[in-house]
Amino acid sequence: YSYIDRVDGSGFLTGSKDKSIYKVDLMGNPLMIYEGHDAPVNSLSQCVKEEFTSGSWDGTAKIWDVETGKVK
């Protein structure tokens, strides 16, 4: 449902119908799963390498810490 290249060039983030966001490296290996939405993730944005923002059909937007996986 949503995809962005990571700003540091180390891979990408993808938001999915299963309500999760996946951090993936350049070889396609999943590195982390971010969970916290109650509906499919339909938008992602990243301006700085330390965090990214997600939007969901649940009507929320969340700011995530890339390394810890926690919502800020």
Side-chain angles (χ1 to χ4, degrees), residues 1-58:
Y1 281 170
S2 185
Y3 164 93
I4 57 168
D5 289 317
R6 293 183 51 207
V7 296
D8 64 4
S10 65
F12 60 92
L13 296 165
T14 182
S16 68
K17 187 176 180 180
D18 73 0
K19 310 173 200 171
S20 300
I21 301 158
Y22 297 86
K23 179 170 77 170
V24 182
D25 69 14
L26 293 172
M27 299 301 293
N29 301 306
L31 302 175
M32 184 176 282
I33 300 173
Y34 305 86
E35 298 177 314
H37 282 293
D38 295 324
V41 177
N42 63 353
S43 63
L44 295 169
S45 180
Q46 186 179 33
C47 294
V48 296
K49 69 179 185 173
E50 296 84 14
E51 63 188 30
F52 69 92
T53 304
S54 65
S56 168
W57 289 112
D58 64 14

